[in-house]
Every structure is written in C-alpha cells, then in structure tokens.
C-alpha cells in the first residue's frame, strides 16, 4: 500500500540553524500539507500546497518557514533560523483529488532545537 | 475557531470491553475523520465520515456523526491491548486543512 515517507526521523539542531525536513508524498496525490505537534499538544496545521504554490498557511507559518516541491516526488519544509519553540514533531500529509479524500500522514520528523 | 474537542481526555478499559470517544466541533463541515496515534509516532487514518452520512463501520470501528449537534463518536468494539493509542478527530476547514481535536488517550489493559 502506498504511503507517505519522511526523512529524517529525528533531527537535532542548534538554535539559529537552518533545517530542511523532507517528505515523499503518495505518488498520484496532488495536495500536500505540513502539520506540527508540540509534545503533548494537538496537531496544528502549518501549510497546504497545491499546483506548485501555497494555497493556505497558518499564523505559525511565518517568514522563517518555506515549502518547496523541488522535483516530482519530494516536498520539503525549510525552517531558516530555528528557535527553541520550533521543537516539535512535524508531519507531512498528502491527499488525492476529490472533495472527500482523506489526508494520509507520514510517520513524522521529530525536530529538537537546542 | 473551528476546534474539535474530544472527551474523555483519557480512557482506561480492559481488553474485550468497548471504548467510546466523542468529538465536538463548532462550525459546519464537509467531512470528519478519525486518526490514531501511537505514542510518539505518526497519525494513522482510521475512517472518514461525510457530512451527509450518519454512521459508518470499518471492522471493529463504528463512527457516528450528528451534524445537528456538531458531534461525532468513535466506538471501538472488543478492544485489544494493541488499540492503546491516542485518538483524534479532525474536521476539514475548506479544501485545504484539517483541524484536529485535543485527542483521547485510550489505555487497554490485557
């Protein structure tokens, strides 16, 4: 069964450093998403991406964040200058076409900012 | 904001018992989805119920949706220790994002 994959599974970085989280969505999906979950809290929407552009973003997704689909398979989330409060689990998700298709989530990348 | 809230926050049961989790939301939806998350792991999609559906089954899972009360329930029948996880409801907010609830932590004791 096709699945969303994410790398790395765990990323440790120093505050102020740039990180890139990578995702490979399900191959025939067209909608891509990033969510995050701070430890012990709910899953929060960050950004959605369709047709090579951001379709919606949350307040969390400020200028320090960016997303890119550099080729036909990868979808990346970049945090330019990490802060301590960026420590969280980051989930990538993808969705097919149609109004009711469910979003399929990857296993997540645990980001730890020291 | 369209925020899902689950109750109870935590639920402990014995294997073989049924577990019921509830979710409430605030605004109209197109569909509602339930996800499971094992500790520290990713989200696994369980079931999607459309706004024009009232009940849906998938194996040992039964989901109901009451749009007049803006609520949904997830019933897991004949629970197993492997069902131990957090369960989240998620409502769609337009075509683009899901709004997750606070989750119910289910503990099933063998």
């Amino acid at each position: 069964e096709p699945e969303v994959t994410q790398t790395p599974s765990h990323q440790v970085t120093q505050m102020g450093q740039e990180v890139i989280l990578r995702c490979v969505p399900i191959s025939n999906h067209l909608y891509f998403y990033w969510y995050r979950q701070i430890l012990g809290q709910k899953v929060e929407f960050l950004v959605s991406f369709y047709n090579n552009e951001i379709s919606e973003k949350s307040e969390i997704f400020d200028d320090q964040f960016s997303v890119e689909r550099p080729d036909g398979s990868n979808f990346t989330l970049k945090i330019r200058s990490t802060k301590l409060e960026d420590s969280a689990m980051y989930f990538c998700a993808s969705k097919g076409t149609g109004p009711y298709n469910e979003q399929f989530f990857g296993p997540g990348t645990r980001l730890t900012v020291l | 904001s369209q925020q899902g809230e689950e109750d109870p926050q935590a639920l402990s049961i014995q294997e073989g018992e049924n577990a019921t989790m509830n979710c409430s939301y605030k605004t109209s939806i197109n569909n509602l989805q339930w996800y499971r998350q094992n500790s520290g792991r990713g989200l696994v999609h369980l079931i999607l119920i459309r706004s024009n559906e009232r009940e849906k089954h998938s194996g040992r899972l039964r989901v109901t949706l009451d749009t007049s009360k803006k609520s949904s329930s997830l019933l897991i029948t004949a629970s197993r220790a492997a069902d131990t996880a957090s369960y989240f409801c998620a409502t769609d907010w337009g075509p683009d994002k899901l709004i997750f609830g606070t989750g119910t932590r289910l503990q099933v004791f063998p």
Side-chain angles (χ1 to χ4, degrees), chain B residues 16-37:
Chain B
E17 294 181 338
N18 295 341
T20 299
M21 290 157 269
N22 303 295
C23 166
S24 61
Y25 56 92
K26 293 184 178 178
T27 62
S28 61
I29 58 172
N30 291 321
N31 60 66
L32 184 145
Q33 305 180 45
W34 284 90
Y35 288 84
R36 185 186 74 223
Q37 184 182 35

Side-chain angles (χ1 to χ4, degrees), chain A residues 33 35 37 42 100 102-103, chain B residues 3 35 37 48 96 98:
Chain A
Y33 309 84
Y35 292 80
Q37 184 182 34
K42 63 170 67 177
Y100 298 121
E102 53 266 45
Q103 293 186 20
Chain B
Q3 193 171 21
Y35 288 84
Q37 184 182 35
L48 179 151
D96 279 328
L98 294 177

Side-chain angles (χ1 to χ4, degrees), chain B residues 36-105:
Chain B
R36 185 186 74 223
Q37 184 182 35
N38 288 62
S39 180
R41 307 291 295 276
L43 294 158
V44 175
H45 186 270
L46 295 176
I47 198 165
L48 179 151
I49 186 165
R50 302 175 187 178
S51 60
N52 61 353
E53 296 177 311
R54 291 298 166 256
E55 188 171 312
K56 202 161 182 180
H57 297 253
S58 176
R60 293 183 297 112
L61 305 181
R62 172 177 168 254
V63 168
T64 62
L65 180 64
D66 186 335
T67 53
S68 66
K69 295 181 180 178
K70 294 187 172 55
S71 67
S72 174
S73 68
L74 170 67
L75 168 67
I76 303 174
T77 60
S79 63
R80 305 166 183 167
D83 294 328
T84 294
S86 290
Y87 292 82
F88 296 89
C89 68
T91 52
D92 67 318
W93 185 235
D96 279 328
K97 67 183 183 186
L98 294 177
I99 303 296
F100 281 82
T102 50
T104 292
R105 293 187 309 279

